[in-house]
Amino acid sequence: MKQISIVVPCYNEEASVPLFYKACEEALRPLPVEPEWWFVDDGSTDGTLEQIKALHRQDTRVHYISFSRNFGKEAAMYAGLEATHGEYVAVMDADLQDPPALLGPMLTILETEEYDCVATRRVTRKGEPKLRSFFARRFYKLLNRISKTEVVDGARDFRLMKRAMVDAVLSLKEVSRFSKGIFSWVGFRTQWMEYENVRRAAGETKWSFWKLLIYSLDGIIGFSTAPLALASYMGLVFCLLAFVLILYFFIKTLIWGDPVAGFPAMICIILLLGGIQLFSIGILGQYLSKTYLEAKHRPLYIAREKE
Ligand code: UDP
Ligand code: MG
């Protein structure tokens, strides 16, 4: 029988972990696969690790990695994927927002059709703050316009992959990880499965608006260099504008003389250009800081315990 590995990043999910295990185990039992679970405790401060250890004592197929601190979901997914052995590997949230019932149909697709991966996307964002949905949509539009890597709107990290794809994902060792981009960048044949948004089983979301904004910047900087080009385009446009203005004022002065005026206009122009220059330097800085962090080659995570 083939093995299926389930990777579950958990950060303060003490209430969800037992619910998740129960639902997932029940969904996998009738399937013709041998399951193993890799729970990754991402430096939780509640009883998450104890809950996972309890599961490990009762079921030897449950394994875990516990981080020395909170490294973020991306690092947790990486650690989990790295630990798996299965021919099939799924990444799932602990909060049951990724329905385990989909695992059966996903498996059937991988076994019977020529696909390497079945990914999921939410067709609704029901139960999510309106403002968050709005910005999420804008972000996907923007990223797809400026990046060659296609990122699907509403795509979840929940997906079932074949081993070859997992190994490809693991071969990308960047520190600023943006999985939605990485999954797409490695290629392979992906079938999309759609489902309605499900609300969290317990606990609350770990993503504040601010955290999501920073994460989306990681996505843009990691998968597009268009903002860098933006600075040169703006430079070019303003050079042309300046050239036209120089000619205009030169001719104007020759004809009508030179009364001193236009002081406010001067201030406006200085402020505008100063702003654009700082903005451009800021873009450079963003890429530089990412390069700096990557150049350090720090590990993606540090494990305290692995069982
Ligand atoms: N998570 C994590 N580390 C973090 C934040 C989140 O491992 O720093 C896990 C979390 O426990 C959950 C999954 O990532 O299993 C998705 O998080 P959440 O449900 O808060 O995100 P949402 O579904 O609201 O986008
Ligand atoms: Mg969730």
Side-chain angles (χ1 to χ4, degrees):
M1 235 196 305
K2 286 190 171 167
Q3 196 180 32
I4 184 170
S5 309
I6 313 286
V7 171
V8 196
C10 309
Y11 178 51
N12 293 347
E13 302 279 8
E14 60 179 354
S16 306
V17 164
L19 299 175
F20 171 82
Y21 167 77
K22 190 166 169 289
C24 191
E25 206 271 331
E26 273 165 19
L28 285 172
R29 210 180 296 151
L31 302 181
V33 278
E34 187 61 53
E36 68 161 358
W37 285 269
W38 278 97
F39 286 90
V40 184
D41 162 38
D42 185 11
S44 303
T45 49
D46 65 354
T48 303
L49 186 59
E50 282 69 50
Q51 292 293 343
I52 299 172
K53 282 184 174 169
L55 292 176
H56 173 69
R57 279 193 294 273
Q58 120 199 13
D59 184 345
T60 52
R61 300 170 302 174
V62 172
H63 303 277
Y64 62 87
I65 302 171
S66 178
F67 285 180
S68 60
R69 63 168 170 86
N70 179 249
F71 280 88
K73 185 186 177 187
E74 292 288 343
M77 285 201 290
Y78 188 90
L81 290 176
E82 212 175 28
T84 58
H85 303 292
E87 278 97 337
Y88 297 117
V89 179
V91 180
M92 295 178 84
D93 285 4
D95 58 9
L96 285 173
Q97 280 191 302
D98 301 330
L102 292 182
L103 285 170
M106 288 165 117
L107 193 68
T108 314
I109 293 175
L110 288 194
E111 299 230 289
T112 56
E113 292 174 49
E114 278 296 311
Y115 285 107
D116 306 295
C117 171
V118 183
T120 58
R121 76 179 272 266
R122 293 183 295 179
V123 280
T124 54
R125 287 178 173 271
K126 211 167 46 195
E128 203 186 62
K130 285 262 173 339
L131 198 68
R132 189 166 146 173
S133 307
F134 174 80
F135 278 106
R137 292 237 158 76
R138 286 288 137 318
F139 163 69
Y140 284 111
K141 279 246 165 63
L142 175 71
L143 186 57
N144 281 321
R145 185 165 298 165
I146 63 177
S147 167
K148 287 201 187 78
T149 308
E150 199 208 344
V151 181
V152 175
D153 184 6
R156 303 271 311 167
D157 289 329
F158 177 31
R159 51 176 71 221
L160 184 65
M161 295 173 275
K162 283 189 181 162
R163 189 78 239 168
M165 181 160 172
V166 176
D167 291 340
V169 168
L170 288 171
S171 72
L172 270 69
K173 299 198 187 300
E174 59 223 62
V175 184
S176 312
R177 298 184 78 76
F178 180 69
S179 276
K180 289 179 177 70
I182 291 177
F183 287 138
S184 164
W185 188 91
V186 295
F188 292 96
R189 296 180 173 199
T190 300
Q191 167 79 290
W192 286 93
M193 200 176 255
E194 299 188 338
Y195 72 99
E196 299 261 320
N197 192 25
V198 183
R199 281 170 203 246
R200 246 178 180 278
E204 52 194 54
T205 179
K206 309 297 174 311
W207 296 89
S208 64
F209 189 79
W210 189 243
K211 253 179 136 180
L212 274 177
L213 189 75
I214 291 180
Y215 184 61
S216 61
L217 283 181
D218 272 353
I220 290 176
I221 292 171
F223 285 89
S224 168
T225 47
L228 281 175
L230 189 70
S232 19
Y233 292 142
M234 284 192 303
L236 204 67
V237 168
F238 276 89
C239 277
L240 285 175
L241 192 70
F243 190 69
V244 172
L245 282 177
I246 288 169
L247 268 182
Y248 168 72
F249 283 119
F250 184 69
I251 293 167
K252 196 179 145 200
T253 314
L254 283 184
I255 300 175
W256 289 290
D258 183 24
V260 177
F263 179 68
M266 195 73 89
I267 296 291
C268 293
I269 289 170
I270 288 174
L271 281 181
L272 178 69
L273 286 183
I276 287 173
Q277 277 167 357
L278 285 179
F279 179 66
S280 304
I281 294 173
I283 293 176
L284 281 178
Q286 289 295 324
Y287 281 87
L288 181 66
S289 73
K290 291 288 177 223
T291 315
Y292 173 61
L293 289 177
E294 297 292 342
K296 288 192 190 192
H297 293 297
R298 285 186 179 163
L300 287 172
Y301 64 90
I302 292 171
R304 241 182 93 243
E305 270 181 77
K306 184 175 174 184
E307 197 69 56

